[in-house]
Amino acid sequence: MNYSLSINNLEISVKNLIGYKKIVSDFNLTLQPGRKLGIVGESGSGKTLSMLAISRLLPSQIEVTGGSIFFHNKNLNTMGKNEFHREFSGKKISMIFQEPMTALNPVYTIGKQLRKAFLIHNKGISKKLSEERARAMLDAVKLNRIEERLRQYPHQLSGGQRQRVLIALALINEPEILIADEPTTALDVTVQKEILELINELCLNFKMSLIFISHDLGVISKVSDEIIVMKDGKIIEEGITKKILKSPKKDYTLGLLKCLWKLEKGNPSLYTDKKVPFIEVKNIKKEYQLPNRLFSKRKKLSAVEDISFSVFKGESVAIVGESGSGKTTIAKIINGLEYPDSGEILINNLPINKIDFFERARLIQPIFQDPYSTLNPNHTIGYVISRPLIIQNRYSSKEIYRNAIKMLKLVELPDTFFYRFPNQLSGGQRQRVSIARALILEPKLLICDEPTSALDVTIQDQILDLLENLKKKLSITIIIISHDISVVKYLSNRILVIKDGKIVESGITKEVLENPQSSYTKKLLSSVFRIFPPKRDLIN
């Protein structure tokens, strides 16, 4: 049989003080031309490292220590690095990375980056032809206002637009194999659906093979013909995607599916006290001034328009909408990080601007999307968790230490983590630390901004269970911002659907999701990738 890619007994090791430690072993893969393969597994399972080995992009301390990688019967492992990058990387084999903002050069325009990627592998091509190629690729990935996009820088584009540019960069030399590493993880469901449909369409148009890495089985089920399940650096299950997802043979694969089914089932045991409105948002508006343009008036962007809602004590309210809809702006205003142009916010019937800063911190605390960027890498976990108490200047050293240890136990982390640093923790552990830091002042309201979007499905399940248990134990009120409908369904009593700074639909979460009235809500729900209806017998 003709294989475009064949990997045999691949072994990847990390170099340490005493030698090498295997982190991927016995990895075997065959890919036929035009086929689409999904690789799924938790963080640390080795799925991304295995693909970086193909692209020769492994970190300096990690090496391929065994096995072979053949591309059209040519052993890539024995090929010189310069020859590989000249003949194969970006030309025959190309990769789309998870975070386009870090993959794109911030100091070059989109047009220059596209032209450079094309000219590197096509010596002697004129600048005019490279510009035409750049335009053609932006058109292929369905970006609008192409001439304007070519002159823009990455920071001037939205997340979905940057991801399309990254796809254009990966495809500009018409590779035979496209490797996509979690390309839709942090995107809204509607944008995610567009990007996945685009990748499928481009694979057909360019006659490419696809290797799609993800921890989302719903996404994998839509883009792959075959699937590989990885755990602890080894392949534990592989086969036709539909067969594996319908009848998994391994408990680990079944566990991944159970997490999805559990979220899909929802959570009927949500507590709320509708007699006591804890927070009231009344007619808030917020506009931002756009940057000046030569010979033109300054324009304003309306982020939030006349938003009003109440959240009752002990309730969980979800705010859902696409990027730019205004949901995060609302959260910032409630948290005191932004001030509205008009309207007011009442907490226990008291205007928020009349509440002392330290008292407000004891009432409201945020949990952010990316814990790693919010944890100071130079400080220990103990200091990070303790800092809100230190700032309050009301507690002794012993009280601060006891409270920090208490918070670690509350979020189910061992005492020894007190002396660790953020880079020594996994993504799920860092998110637990963020929750512990938010809870140490015993707030009444948690504002969770996409708290699980970048986490594996099993870790996501653990964090959501933790938030739900803490909610019951501490009678905390929660406002959760998310584009993940399953997360919203599991954690919230009520839902607010936001579009262009306005509430287009609101109500009981279950009722809104089962019978949406707004066409925009219907659009969001139609973009959700579900594998099949949940198997309740496997959840109970």
Side-chain angles (χ1 to χ4, degrees):
M1 188 175 288
N2 181 31
Y3 295 116
S4 58
L5 181 69
S6 178
I7 302 176
N8 304 303
N9 301 317
L10 182 67
E11 181 183 286
I12 302 173
S13 304
V14 60
K15 192 175 184 179
N16 53 36
L17 293 174
I18 58 173
Y20 287 91
K21 179 184 177 182
K22 289 182 186 178
I23 49 179
V24 174
S25 59
D26 300 322
F27 185 89
N28 294 278
L29 178 155
T30 53
L31 187 66
Q32 298 173 38
R35 294 292 283 177
K36 291 180 284 188
L37 172 72
I39 303 180
V40 68
E42 296 174 290
S43 294
S45 62
K47 55 188 188 295
T48 296
L49 283 177
S50 302
M51 296 303 102
L52 289 176
I54 299 173
S55 304
R56 292 280 192 95
L57 295 173
L58 287 170
S60 57
Q61 72 275 22
I62 298 177
E63 299 176 14
V64 174
T65 51
S68 60
I69 303 173
F70 283 92
F71 181 75
H72 289 310
N73 298 319
K74 204 166 194 176
N75 193 341
L76 301 184
N77 285 352
T78 60
M79 190 179 295
K81 193 170 184 179
N82 290 337
E83 182 188 358
F84 174 82
H85 286 296
R86 184 176 65 252
E87 299 295 331
F88 290 92
S89 182
K91 186 175 183 180
K92 299 293 184 183
I93 301 171
S94 204
M95 196 162 184
I96 305 171
F97 297 97
Q98 181 175 356
E99 179 45 64
M101 197 59 185
T102 57
L104 295 171
N105 194 320
V107 300
Y108 290 144
T109 64
I110 299 305
K112 186 169 183 177
Q113 294 185 61
L114 287 166
R115 292 195 305 272
K116 188 175 180 181
F118 186 62
L119 290 171
I120 283 174
H121 295 288
N122 297 274
K123 302 295 183 183
I125 295 292
S126 68
K127 184 180 177 181
K128 184 179 179 181
L129 285 175
S130 68
E131 289 175 349
E132 289 175 2
R133 180 66 176 171
R135 290 189 189 93
M137 290 313 303
L138 292 186
D139 183 54
V141 297
K142 299 179 181 178
L143 262 179
N144 60 357
R145 305 205 303 268
I146 291 173
E147 294 302 324
E148 181 182 346
R149 303 298 176 214
L150 289 169
R151 295 190 297 270
Q152 288 181 316
Y153 292 85
H155 71 272
Q156 295 175 304
L157 304 179
S158 70
Q161 289 169 341
R162 285 194 291 266
Q163 195 61 275
R164 288 172 188 269
V165 169
L166 208 57
I167 294 170
L169 271 171
L171 299 183
I172 199 163
N173 293 300
E174 297 189 16
E176 291 185 37
I177 296 176
L178 178 65
I179 301 171
D181 186 8
E182 302 272 16
T184 61
T185 298
L187 299 178
D188 300 328
V189 287
T190 49
V191 179
Q192 181 185 74
K193 183 179 180 182
E194 290 172 4
I195 294 297
L196 292 176
E197 288 175 348
L198 175 64
I199 289 173
N200 272 328
E201 182 182 327
L202 292 171
C203 282
L204 289 173
N205 293 343
F206 287 85
K207 299 179 181 178
M208 291 183 302
S209 302
L210 174 69
I211 300 176
F212 197 99
I213 304 168
S214 182
H215 63 255
D216 190 327
L217 287 168
V219 169
I220 286 288
S221 69
K222 301 298 179 184
V223 298
S224 68
D225 305 310
E226 301 164 44
I227 188 173
I228 285 175
V229 182
M230 292 190 70
K231 183 178 187 291
D232 299 330
K234 293 184 177 181
I235 295 172
I236 63 167
E237 191 163 4
E238 59 183 314
I240 304 300
T241 301
K242 289 182 180 179
K243 289 183 179 179
I244 295 290
L245 297 182
K246 186 177 181 181
S247 303
K249 295 178 181 178
K250 299 293 183 179
D251 290 340
Y252 177 74
T253 312
L254 182 61
L256 294 177
L257 289 168
K258 277 185 177 181
C259 292
L260 292 176
W261 292 329
K262 178 182 174 182
L263 291 176
E264 186 61 30
K265 181 182 178 182
N267 185 0
S269 59
L270 293 166
Y271 162 79
T272 182
D273 182 359
K274 288 199 173 182
K275 296 177 182 177
V276 187
F278 174 70
I279 185 166
E280 295 176 83
V281 177
K282 294 185 175 181
N283 308 110
I284 60 170
K285 294 183 180 181
K286 181 67 180 178
E287 290 183 334
Y288 293 103
Q289 291 277 359
L290 294 176
N292 276 327
R293 288 191 175 183
L294 196 62
F295 307 122
S296 65
K297 292 182 180 179
R298 291 192 74 175
K299 292 184 179 180
K300 291 184 178 181
L301 173 68
S302 181
V304 175
E305 293 185 37
D306 199 26
I307 292 284
S308 299
F309 63 91
S310 297
V311 181
F312 297 95
K313 183 180 178 182
E315 188 178 31
S316 292
V317 172
I319 302 177
V320 178
E322 296 175 294
S323 294
S325 62
K327 57 187 188 296
T328 298
T329 301
I330 295 169
K332 286 180 178 178
I333 290 171
I334 295 172
N335 202 47
L337 300 175
E338 294 273 5
Y339 292 97
D341 298 326
S342 62
E344 64 175 347
I345 296 170
L346 304 178
I347 298 178
N348 288 329
N349 291 320
L350 188 66
I352 194 170
N353 56 359
K354 293 185 179 179
I355 301 174
D356 175 74
F357 173 79
F358 291 111
E359 180 60 29
R360 190 190 303 171
R362 287 192 289 271
L363 283 171
I364 305 172
Q365 281 291 315
I367 300 172
F368 298 103
Q369 179 175 358
D370 180 10
Y372 195 64
S373 64
T374 61
L375 302 179
N376 192 320
N378 298 315
H379 291 155
T380 63
I381 297 306
Y383 181 81
V384 167
I385 294 174
S386 305
R387 183 157 174 74
L389 292 182
I390 296 169
I391 292 172
Q392 294 280 325
N393 202 25
R394 296 169 52 185
Y395 305 90
S396 68
S397 298
K398 287 184 179 179
E399 287 176 317
I400 290 172
Y401 176 77
R402 281 200 302 268
N403 275 291
I405 295 298
K406 178 184 173 183
M407 286 300 109
L408 283 173
K409 290 179 179 177
L410 193 64
V411 297
E412 300 169 12
L413 289 176
D415 298 2
T416 53
F417 275 47
F418 188 90
Y419 300 102
R420 290 195 184 185
F421 288 86
N423 67 336
Q424 296 173 310
L425 275 59
S426 69
Q429 289 167 341
R430 287 195 288 263
Q431 194 59 283
R432 288 173 186 268
V433 169
S434 294
I435 294 171
R437 178 178 58 183
L439 291 176
I440 199 164
L441 291 176
E442 299 182 3
K444 302 300 180 184
L445 173 66
L446 282 182
I447 300 177
C448 306
D449 189 359
E450 302 279 11
T452 61
S453 67
L455 301 177
D456 298 331
V457 64
T458 49
I459 307 301
Q460 184 183 89
D461 179 48
Q462 294 167 18
I463 295 298
L464 290 175
D465 276 346
L466 175 64
L467 285 171
E468 181 59 22
N469 290 335
L470 292 172
K471 182 172 176 289
K472 291 176 182 176
K473 283 181 184 177
L474 307 175
S475 298
I476 293 175
T477 303
I478 294 178
I479 294 177
I480 184 165
I481 297 167
S482 182
H483 63 255
D484 191 325
I485 301 300
S486 295
V487 169
V488 168
K489 187 175 182 179
Y490 184 75
L491 200 61
S492 69
N493 305 92
R494 285 192 298 122
I495 186 173
L496 305 174
V497 183
I498 309 289
K499 183 179 186 292
D500 298 331
K502 298 177 181 178
I503 297 175
V504 296
E505 188 162 5
S506 63
I508 304 299
T509 301
K510 186 178 179 181
E511 293 176 1
V512 170
L513 296 184
E514 289 181 356
N515 187 29
Q517 301 300 308
S518 162
S519 59
Y520 178 70
T521 310
K522 291 176 183 177
K523 177 187 172 185
L524 290 178
L525 292 173
S526 68
S527 301
V528 177
F529 288 101
R530 295 186 174 92
I531 302 173
F532 33 71
K535 294 189 176 181
R536 298 176 188 273
D537 58 316
L538 292 173
I539 306 169
N540 299 327

